[in-house]
Amino acid sequence: MNYYNVVFQPGDVSLEVAEGSTLKEAMNDVGLEFDFLCGGRGTCGKCRVKISKGLTTPVIREQEMLQVKEVDEGIRLACLTTVHNDLIVELPNQKKLAHNILIASEERAFQIAPQLHKVFIEVDKPSRETQSSDWRRLKEGLVKQGYKDHELESTVSILRQMPDVLRGANNLITAVMYESTVAGIEAQDSTKTMLGMAFDIGTTTIVGYLLDLYSGKELSVVSTLNPQTTFGADVISRLTFANHEENGLIKLQSAVVEAINKLIVEAAQKASILRNQIYGISIAGNTCMHHIFLGINPQSIAVSPYVPALSEPLVLDASELNISINQAGKVFMLPNIAGFVGADTVAVLLATELDRSEDIKLVIDIGTNGEIALGSKEKMVACSAAAGPAFEGAQISSGMRGAVGAIDHVYYRDKLEYSVIGGEKPLGVCGSALLDTVAGLVELGILNKRGKFLEFEQLTNPVAQRFKENLIQYEGQGAFLLAEADSTGHGRPIMITQSDIRELQMAKGAMAAGVRVLMETYGIQAQDINEVLLAGAFGNYLTPHSACVIGLIPLELESKIKMIGNAAGTGSKLALLSSGEFRRARDIANVVKFVELGSYPRFNSIFGECTYFNIK
Amino acid sequence: MNYYNVVFQPGDVSLEVAEGSTLKEAMNDVGLEFDFLCGGRGTCGKCRVKISKGLTTPVIREQEMLQVKEVDEGIRLACLTTVHNDLIVELPNQKKLAHNILIASEERAFQIAPQLHKVFIEVDKPSRETQSSDWRRLKEGLVKQGYKDHELESTVSILRQMPDVLRGANNLITAVMYESTVAGIEAQDSTKTMLGMAFDIGTTTIVGYLLDLYSGKELSVVSTLNPQTTFGADVISRLTFANHEENGLIKLQSAVVEAINKLIVEAAQKASILRNQIYGISIAGNTCMHHIFLGINPQSIAVSPYVPALSEPLVLDASELNISINQAGKVFMLPNIAGFVGADTVAVLLATELDRSEDIKLVIDIGTNGEIALGSKEKMVACSAAAGPAFEGAQISSGMRGAVGAIDHVYYRDKLEYSVIGGEKPLGVCGSALLDTVAGLVELGILNKRGKFLEFEQLTNPVAQRFKENLIQYEGQGAFLLAEADSTGHGRPIMITQSDIRELQMAKGAMAAGVRVLMETYGIQAQDINEVLLAGAFGNYLTPHSACVIGLIPLELESKIKMIGNAAGTGSKLALLSSGEFRRARDIANVVKFVELGSYPRFNSIFGECTYFNIK
């Protein structure tokens, strides 16, 4: 078997690869994580990489999925490209290594200085005369490294391990330190690696990133459905469950802790490390997820004045929370801002550096509860808008989440076209396609400003004529057909009904009203905003133009929109990798001014106006 | 039924007592603890109190057990005296209340400033606009009381209770503080009482004192056999069990933790409080007991160089150690000095104030392992002497512990007389009687300097003739008969054999050699010592003269001997009642110089000499 050298850029990660392996396999081998949306089955066309040296002919499937121009530029799909010679492969810059973290398609540098660090020490041998205890001699070793004797602390579990580790390692040990606390001891010199995991606990999805805390390198990424969804799809139903079901809080907490522990096992297996080597995790999530994870009853969030029980950042023992990392490991909890503006928003602001920005930026994390922040280093305001689950496909007649089988984008060309996640027959429509569909209907004049389907005879735009077939009546209301029954995966038509449009109007109206109120509070107009950053899964998939046409985002900001991916996850990573960033999270939570929409003057009329569409 | 007012002094503790109740019952009702050695059955005559107002005629039993002079002075027995009018009762000063602790028959004052304290705060109501979290508002309340915001910490369990407590108490709460950590929260103002328990974990006995940490008042005293005795009678056998039996350490730890939890329940019941109100416990015990309690393998103590794993003082979470006090409670561990000079010795030094003494004092805690300390505020030295279990009656043919049925004192009068604990027929002989017996035999010239029984014909002292009947041969060796078979509780004779005397010589030789080595190390002679303080149960019961005659303590120090009771328990109390005393414990552990007898030059010959008796 022949082996060839493959170098991944940026980061100069190189390895020898057996002939015929795919680039995906090579990336797995070297621990480079990459989102293969269709699981690497060559159906989604999203795993684009650029071959800058050693270009080979694309396979037929690649030719189908890539534009000719892209093929000429050396773009290939990582799951379909096999290795037959030495290669240099450029990855999209989301995979930058070392201490650069992708955010808003830009890297931002920060000082890697993890909260946890390791110190190798040679402990003095025990002496019959001095009777200096194991712990005393260990402390003396740390004092030689600059620690202050009277500040040094430890825990019972460490003290229990200490005698065996010291004697087993002939007094050569590595201490894992959190500030002046010995959080772990390992035999011999293990200072080369220091592992941690950053988590983003979403209401729907939990994502975990296994990181080398010294290099900043991401060793694996894992995610899972938040198992709490069994008990309720959104924050409000979780709050209700926690407060009214017997042992509701405990059930919710156990579910999320179990999910996180499974992710830890999975991430460790993928990276071929032991979970015992993981000494810290960071947690970002909304206030409700935050409280439930800690086992704190979130009842105060559910009732007026909706305050959190806890907003400050916290460092806790992993064992206290039953997190299965090293038994001496730590859990770093990012702070909350308010009952409905949580640690996930703080993480997004940490990642987007709103607090350091010269320009005024608008940051939107769209979800069931949309969080919106506006500001610059001068000041920041934030609010939460109860959008409801329409953006996630719930409450929509043909709606579904953005999973395999979902129509994710809709194009009004000569005829109606759409793309389906996974490429198979469609099963439903997800939020981004809902936006595309409705935006098209608005632009074609098929919907009026108030969101009502016009009669076909009333349509004035000639292009609208092309979609006559799609305009149907369904159960006594107007509807727009996306896919006939026989072209779908389940034999039922997929459509957007008048009711669905009302749902979307409520959802986008809530978000838009939030943006409007923040601008008023801040004292600016839309044109004063220099950048709109869209965070979260939905924000990353929507078509900016559609979002502006329906009025989710002010129309004049369309060209200023940037997708910034899972910024909450990025913020969680930053807090884990750098004690300075963790401190900054506290500062951000302290300075962001929370704006309570419910008590804002004229909120109802603002909201009413915002449910309208932007008809030019 | 008539009720009368009874006032106990000192402390002005008064209550209404039903006519005919005993003073013992009244003391129980009001929570005054008192040692009723025979269980209050009127047989030991030790529960002497003085009636200073309302004196009544003694019952016949009291007349028998008290001297005429005592009866005239108003001395009565608390278990036999019944109430028929108003009384003022003076208790022996061991029951002083407030911040005086009995030690060496003297009170010593100290500043009550417990490590734990309570603060009543009125927390601001939550506000929809500021969204200030429960924890933030609670901290603001503490800041108003002088705490520093950035130093304030809490634990997950407190944060979990917080929302309910705050809302249930309409934001009026009492915070239980340990330094800047909120260790507990209680509804409303509960600052009046603050409870804790001080423990002394002995190899054989565990004693616990329930204290009001504000007044220093002792609410109840409880004790139990250390259940670890099932796994081994002495420290060495416990070490062996911990190191060589499967789950040995866990079994030993569980046993002691369970015993302590039972004592907590018992103490709480006796004082009619809830164990949830107990926020802290202090622990004194030898190094082995200390390590096992913490679940730290004591293997390093068992093998050369015999160093402890841990010597520093520690403050731990009670929940981490499964101690069933308030779930946010703290455990204060006194420090150790060396592998065989532990936190119990530190507690004794704390109580005896050796570190503040102008005079040179010798402190001896006699047990299976005797700990000896010598010094003053200038310097202190300490050692451990492996006396073996002879003083506790083990390895002695008729030996038993100092329990009901044990002959505890022996008198060479016209004929041999003895006293028995509990007053019934004797079952065996305990350590103090062993000393009395042997000392008498030495003084009568029946034993020679080397501890050998002389032939009856060789005896020159005419008084020795009186005990001819007692000098017997038993299984081929000389022996001294204390009780004929038919006068004992089990129908077997009780005697001291030649082998028993050898055992005693080994035990007292080890202790005496320890004293000798400490004096040599310190550079002084016996006459330079101003006071000899005997701590521990055995030290409290032995006859000083006997101890000196057999050479356990240098003869010239007989008049300087003081019994100081359970000084380790007293030291444990001090550490719990005063953060200054807890700090002083650390200082003591740091400055006491440990002297290792095994490696002391000429130790074997010193030990050999010390096995001899002091024949004038």
Side-chain angles (χ1 to χ4, degrees):
Chain A
M1 167 106 42
N2 291 324
Y3 284 84
Y4 297 102
N5 183 258
V6 176
V7 180
F8 291 100
Q9 294 291 5
D12 257 345
V13 179
S14 76
L15 78 165
E16 298 301 303
V17 178
E19 180 161 15
S21 306
T22 64
L23 286 181
K24 175 175 183 289
E25 287 162 353
M27 286 155 83
N28 279 345
D29 286 350
V30 79
L32 280 174
E33 282 301 321
F34 202 80
D35 286 334
F36 292 95
L37 291 182
C38 64
R41 291 177 292 127
T43 54
C44 71
K46 304 250 169 163
C47 58
R48 295 173 185 207
V49 297
K50 184 171 175 180
I51 312 294
S52 57
K53 194 187 137 198
L55 194 64
T56 51
T57 318
V59 298
I60 292 170
R61 187 86 198 215
E62 281 175 299
Q63 288 175 353
E64 287 170 2
M65 304 190 78
L66 297 169
Q67 297 169 8
V68 177
K69 183 168 159 259
E70 287 179 322
V71 171
D72 291 349
E73 281 172 355
I75 302 295
R76 296 290 182 276
L77 298 180
C79 69
L80 295 175
T81 303
T82 48
V83 176
H84 299 280
N85 48 256
D86 290 352
L87 291 173
I88 295 179
V89 182
E90 286 180 38
L91 305 182
N93 60 6
Q94 75 178 96
K95 291 297 136 184
K96 283 290 165 72
L97 305 178
H99 44 286
N100 286 304
I101 290 250
L102 172 85
I103 192 70
S105 306
E106 290 158 16
E107 288 159 24
R108 76 175 209 62
F110 65 97
Q111 187 67 42
I112 287 203
Q115 319 238 30
L116 295 158
H117 52 280
K118 284 186 173 180
V119 185
F120 174 64
I121 39 178
E122 191 170 344
V123 176
D124 288 344
K125 293 200 166 40
S127 136
R128 197 156 170 164
E129 281 68 40
T130 66
Q131 287 280 317
S132 185
S133 69
D134 293 357
W135 171 234
R136 168 122 302 280
R137 287 175 287 112
L138 200 161
K139 285 204 290 184
E140 284 163 359
L142 286 167
V143 167
K144 283 183 196 153
Q145 304 277 343
Y147 286 88
K148 288 182 186 149
D149 183 75
H150 69 277
E151 291 179 356
L152 287 166
E153 290 188 2
S154 193
T155 64
V156 172
S157 68
I158 293 302
L159 295 171
R160 285 175 185 160
Q161 295 167 43
M162 181 179 57
D164 284 343
V165 175
L166 272 180
R167 282 161 187 81
N170 203 19
N171 300 301
L172 302 176
I173 62 153
T174 298
V176 182
M177 304 297 297
Y178 165 66
E179 293 178 347
S180 289
T181 300
V182 179
I185 44 174
E186 296 176 344
Q188 307 297 338
D189 186 351
S190 67
T191 50
K192 272 191 193 139
T193 53
M194 178 70 172
L195 305 179
M197 267 188 93
F199 282 93
D200 168 29
I201 306 180
T203 310
T204 305
T205 309
I206 305 174
V207 189
Y209 307 86
L210 179 63
L211 302 172
D212 181 319
L213 301 189
Y214 282 153
S215 67
K217 189 172 163 180
E218 191 173 285
L219 305 181
S220 59
V221 182
V222 287
S223 69
T224 184
L225 189 73
N226 187 333
Q228 294 173 348
T229 47
T230 321
F231 308 111
D234 54 32
V235 166
I236 299 298
S237 58
R238 305 273 170 89
L239 290 173
T240 307
F241 189 86
N243 293 334
H244 299 294
E245 290 291 321
E246 196 177 328
N247 297 321
L249 175 60
I250 291 170
K251 283 179 189 164
L252 291 170
Q253 187 196 17
S254 305
V256 66
V257 167
E258 200 179 307
I260 284 178
N261 283 337
K262 281 185 186 163
L263 289 180
I264 289 168
V265 170
E266 189 187 335
Q269 282 173 347
K270 280 174 93 166
S272 301
I273 59 110
L274 299 171
R275 60 185 179 166
N276 200 36
Q277 293 175 271
I278 302 175
Y279 274 99
I281 68 169
S282 58
I283 301 281
N286 63 50
T287 309
C288 179
M289 293 303 110
H290 170 280
H291 280 40
I292 290 173
F293 174 75
L294 293 177
I296 296 175
N297 195 323
Q299 63 176 338
S300 62
I301 307 174
V303 296
S304 178
Y306 314 112
V307 300
L310 177 69
S311 50
E312 277 69 12
L314 274 186
V315 182
L316 301 165
D317 294 332
S319 58
E320 197 171 10
L321 295 165
N322 296 317
I323 296 298
S324 306
I325 56 173
N326 187 291
Q327 61 172 324
K330 294 284 175 188
V331 176
F332 299 91
M333 301 295 303
L334 277 88
N336 297 309
I337 295 171
F340 284 96
V341 180
D344 50 352
T345 303
V346 173
V348 168
L349 296 179
L350 201 60
T352 55
E353 296 191 291
L354 205 62
D355 58 319
R356 288 170 171 166
S357 170
E358 301 283 342
D359 298 332
I360 297 174
K361 295 181 182 180
L362 177 67
V363 183
I364 305 180
D365 196 344
I366 307 172
T368 310
N369 272 282
E371 290 96 18
I372 311 166
L374 176 69
S376 68
K377 68 179 190 181
E378 299 302 326
K379 65 173 177 177
M380 295 182 281
V381 292
C383 71
S384 164
F391 293 131
E392 283 159 3
Q395 310 288 349
I396 300 298
S397 56
S398 300
M400 67 179 286
R401 292 198 307 114
V404 170
I407 296 177
D408 60 347
H409 286 293
V410 172
Y411 311 96
Y412 291 82
R413 293 175 183 158
D414 287 343
K415 60 184 179 70
L416 193 80
E417 291 176 18
Y418 54 75
S419 56
V420 178
I421 298 177
E424 307 289 328
K425 283 186 174 182
L427 298 170
V429 60
C430 74
S432 52
L434 176 65
L435 258 63
D436 286 348
T437 307
V438 175
L441 295 175
V442 168
E443 288 193 305
L444 293 171
I446 298 173
L447 290 175
N448 70 10
K449 186 182 170 184
R450 292 171 185 274
K452 188 172 180 333
F453 275 108
L454 299 182
E455 298 297 317
F456 188 71
E457 294 69 34
Q458 298 173 283
L459 303 183
T460 54
N461 187 328
V463 180
Q465 307 294 327
R466 294 180 200 163
F467 307 103
K468 185 176 178 181
E469 301 290 305
N470 301 85
L471 287 164
I472 60 170
Q473 285 289 316
Y474 185 78
E475 295 185 348
Q477 60 176 327
F480 188 78
L481 186 71
L482 290 175
E484 303 265 13
D486 57 6
S487 65
T488 67
H490 45 46
R492 282 174 282 123
I494 295 171
M495 68 187 77
I496 305 295
T497 68
Q498 182 69 67
S499 307
D500 297 338
I501 290 162
R502 297 290 180 224
E503 286 290 335
L504 178 66
Q505 284 177 280
M506 301 301 277
K508 76 101 185 174
M511 298 294 297
V515 172
R516 179 93 67 88
V517 168
L518 289 191
M519 290 192 299
E520 284 189 16
T521 306
Y522 207 88
I524 55 167
Q525 306 288 322
Q527 60 265 29
D528 299 324
I529 294 171
N530 296 78
E531 209 164 48
V532 179
L533 304 176
L534 294 186
F538 178 64
N540 241 28
Y541 275 95
L542 61 72
T543 311
H545 178 68
S546 301
C548 291
V549 168
I550 67 160
L552 173 61
I553 295 166
L555 207 55
E556 50 269 67
L557 295 176
E558 182 178 336
S559 65
K560 296 176 177 175
I561 293 175
K562 274 191 180 176
M563 273 81 159
I564 55 169
N566 182 8
T570 305
S572 185
K573 288 188 210 174
L574 289 170
L576 186 63
L577 288 168
S578 161
S579 50
E581 298 288 314
F582 190 64
R583 277 194 300 276
R584 198 160 67 85
R586 176 198 293 259
D587 298 339
I588 288 172
N590 283 340
V591 300
V592 171
K593 182 173 156 39
F594 170 73
V595 179
E596 220 276 294
L597 296 184
S599 54
Y600 190 80
R602 299 179 297 103
F603 180 74
N604 284 339
S605 71
I606 294 174
F607 171 67
E609 286 168 31
C610 286
T611 60
Y612 295 170
F613 292 122
N614 284 319
I615 306 285
K616 282 178 199 165
Chain B
M1 169 118 29
N2 292 323
Y3 284 84
Y4 297 102
N5 184 257
V6 177
V7 180
F8 292 100
Q9 296 290 5
D12 255 345
V13 179
S14 76
L15 80 164
E16 298 301 303
V17 178
E19 179 161 16
S21 306
T22 64
L23 286 181
K24 175 175 183 287
E25 287 161 353
M27 287 156 83
N28 279 346
D29 285 350
V30 80
L32 279 173
E33 283 300 320
F34 202 80
D35 286 334
F36 293 94
L37 290 182
C38 66
R41 292 177 293 127
T43 54
C44 72
K46 305 248 170 165
C47 57
R48 297 176 183 205
V49 299
K50 185 172 175 179
I51 311 295
S52 57
K53 194 188 138 195
L55 196 62
T56 51
T57 318
V59 299
I60 293 170
R61 186 85 197 217
E62 279 176 298
Q63 290 175 351
E64 289 171 0
M65 303 191 77
L66 297 169
Q67 297 169 10
V68 176
K69 186 171 157 254
E70 287 177 323
V71 171
D72 291 348
E73 282 171 354
I75 303 293
R76 295 291 182 274
L77 297 181
C79 68
L80 295 176
T81 301
T82 48
V83 177
H84 298 281
N85 48 255
D86 290 350
L87 290 173
I88 295 179
V89 182
E90 287 180 38
L91 305 182
N93 61 5
Q94 76 180 94
K95 291 297 135 185
K96 284 289 165 75
L97 305 177
H99 43 287
N100 286 304
I101 290 251
L102 172 85
I103 192 69
S105 304
E106 289 157 17
E107 287 160 26
R108 78 175 207 62
F110 65 98
Q111 187 67 42
I112 288 203
Q115 318 239 28
L116 295 158
H117 51 281
K118 284 185 173 180
V119 186
F120 174 65
I121 38 178
E122 190 172 344
V123 176
D124 287 343
K125 295 201 165 40
S127 136
R128 197 156 170 165
E129 282 66 42
T130 66
Q131 287 279 316
S132 186
S133 69
D134 292 357
W135 171 233
R136 167 124 300 282
R137 286 174 289 112
L138 200 161
K139 286 204 290 182
E140 284 163 0
L142 287 166
V143 167
K144 283 182 196 153
Q145 304 277 342
Y147 286 88
K148 290 182 185 150
D149 183 76
H150 69 277
E151 290 178 358
L152 288 166
E153 290 187 4
S154 193
T155 64
V156 172
S157 69
I158 295 303
L159 295 171
R160 285 174 185 159
Q161 294 167 43
M162 181 180 56
D164 284 343
V165 176
L166 273 181
R167 281 162 188 79
N170 203 19
N171 299 300
L172 301 176
I173 63 154
T174 298
V176 183
M177 304 297 298
Y178 166 66
E179 294 178 347
S180 290
T181 299
V182 179
I185 44 175
E186 295 176 344
Q188 307 299 338
D189 185 351
S190 66
T191 50
K192 272 192 195 138
T193 53
M194 177 72 171
L195 306 178
M197 267 188 92
F199 283 93
D200 167 30
I201 306 180
T203 310
T204 305
T205 308
I206 306 175
V207 188
Y209 308 85
L210 179 62
L211 303 173
D212 181 318
L213 301 189
Y214 283 152
S215 66
K217 188 173 164 180
E218 191 173 285
L219 305 182
S220 59
V221 182
V222 287
S223 69
T224 184
L225 190 73
N226 186 334
Q228 293 173 349
T229 46
T230 321
F231 308 111
D234 54 30
V235 165
I236 300 298
S237 58
R238 306 272 170 92
L239 290 173
T240 307
F241 189 87
N243 293 333
H244 297 294
E245 288 293 319
E246 197 176 326
N247 297 322
L249 175 60
I250 291 169
K251 283 178 190 166
L252 291 170
Q253 187 195 17
S254 305
V256 67
V257 167
E258 200 179 307
I260 284 177
N261 283 337
K262 279 184 187 164
L263 289 180
I264 290 168
V265 170
E266 191 187 334
Q269 282 173 348
K270 281 174 93 166
S272 300
I273 58 111
L274 299 170
R275 60 183 179 169
N276 199 36
Q277 295 175 269
I278 302 174
Y279 274 99
I281 68 169
S282 57
I283 301 281
N286 65 49
T287 310
C288 179
M289 293 303 109
H290 170 280
H291 280 41
I292 289 172
F293 173 75
L294 292 178
I296 296 175
N297 196 322
Q299 61 176 338
S300 62
I301 307 173
V303 296
S304 176
Y306 314 111
V307 301
L310 175 70
S311 50
E312 277 70 12
L314 273 187
V315 182
L316 301 166
D317 293 332
S319 58
E320 198 171 12
L321 295 165
N322 296 316
I323 297 298
S324 306
I325 55 172
N326 187 292
Q327 60 172 326
K330 295 284 175 187
V331 176
F332 299 91
M333 301 294 304
L334 276 89
N336 297 308
I337 294 170
F340 284 96
V341 179
D344 50 353
T345 303
V346 173
V348 168
L349 297 179
L350 201 60
T352 55
E353 296 191 290
L354 206 62
D355 58 319
R356 288 168 170 168
S357 170
E358 300 282 342
D359 297 331
I360 296 174
K361 296 181 182 180
L362 177 67
V363 184
I364 306 182
D365 196 344
I366 307 171
T368 312
N369 272 283
E371 290 95 18
I372 311 164
L374 176 68
S376 68
K377 67 180 192 182
E378 299 302 325
K379 65 173 177 178
M380 295 181 281
V381 292
C383 71
S384 165
F391 293 129
E392 284 159 2
Q395 312 287 348
I396 300 298
S397 57
S398 298
M400 67 179 287
R401 292 197 307 114
V404 171
I407 297 176
D408 61 348
H409 287 293
V410 172
Y411 311 96
Y412 291 83
R413 295 176 180 157
D414 288 342
K415 62 184 179 72
L416 195 79
E417 290 175 18
Y418 53 76
S419 56
V420 178
I421 299 178
E424 308 288 327
K425 284 189 173 180
L427 299 169
V429 61
C430 73
S432 52
L434 176 65
L435 257 61
D436 286 348
T437 308
V438 175
L441 295 175
V442 168
E443 289 193 306
L444 293 171
I446 297 173
L447 291 174
N448 71 8
K449 185 180 171 182
R450 291 170 186 275
K452 190 173 179 330
F453 274 107
L454 298 182
E455 298 298 318
F456 188 73
E457 296 68 36
Q458 298 174 281
L459 303 184
T460 54
N461 187 328
V463 180
Q465 306 294 327
R466 297 182 197 161
F467 307 102
K468 186 175 176 183
E469 300 291 304
N470 300 86
L471 287 164
I472 58 169
Q473 285 288 314
Y474 185 77
E475 295 188 349
Q477 59 177 325
F480 188 77
L481 187 69
L482 291 176
E484 302 265 13
D486 56 8
S487 65
T488 66
H490 46 47
R492 283 174 280 125
I494 295 172
M495 68 188 77
I496 304 294
T497 68
Q498 182 69 67
S499 307
D500 296 338
I501 291 162
R502 296 291 179 225
E503 286 290 335
L504 178 65
Q505 286 178 280
M506 302 301 277
K508 75 101 186 176
M511 296 295 296
V515 173
R516 178 94 67 88
V517 168
L518 288 192
M519 290 192 299
E520 285 190 16
T521 307
Y522 207 89
I524 56 169
Q525 306 288 320
Q527 60 266 30
D528 300 323
I529 293 171
N530 295 77
E531 210 165 47
V532 179
L533 306 176
L534 294 186
F538 178 64
N540 242 27
Y541 275 95
L542 61 71
T543 311
H545 178 69
S546 301
C548 292
V549 168
I550 67 159
L552 173 60
I553 295 165
L555 208 53
E556 49 269 66
L557 295 176
E558 184 179 333
S559 64
K560 298 177 176 174
I561 293 176
K562 276 192 181 176
M563 272 79 159
I564 56 170
N566 183 7
T570 305
S572 185
K573 287 187 212 175
L574 289 171
L576 186 64
L577 288 168
S578 160
S579 50
E581 296 289 312
F582 190 65
R583 278 193 302 275
R584 197 161 67 86
R586 178 198 293 260
D587 298 340
I588 289 172
N590 283 341
V591 300
V592 171
K593 182 173 154 43
F594 170 73
V595 179
E596 219 278 294
L597 295 184
S599 54
Y600 190 81
R602 301 179 295 104
F603 180 74
N604 284 340
S605 71
I606 294 173
F607 172 67
E609 286 167 33
C610 286
T611 61
Y612 294 171
F613 292 122
N614 285 319
I615 306 285
K616 284 180 198 165

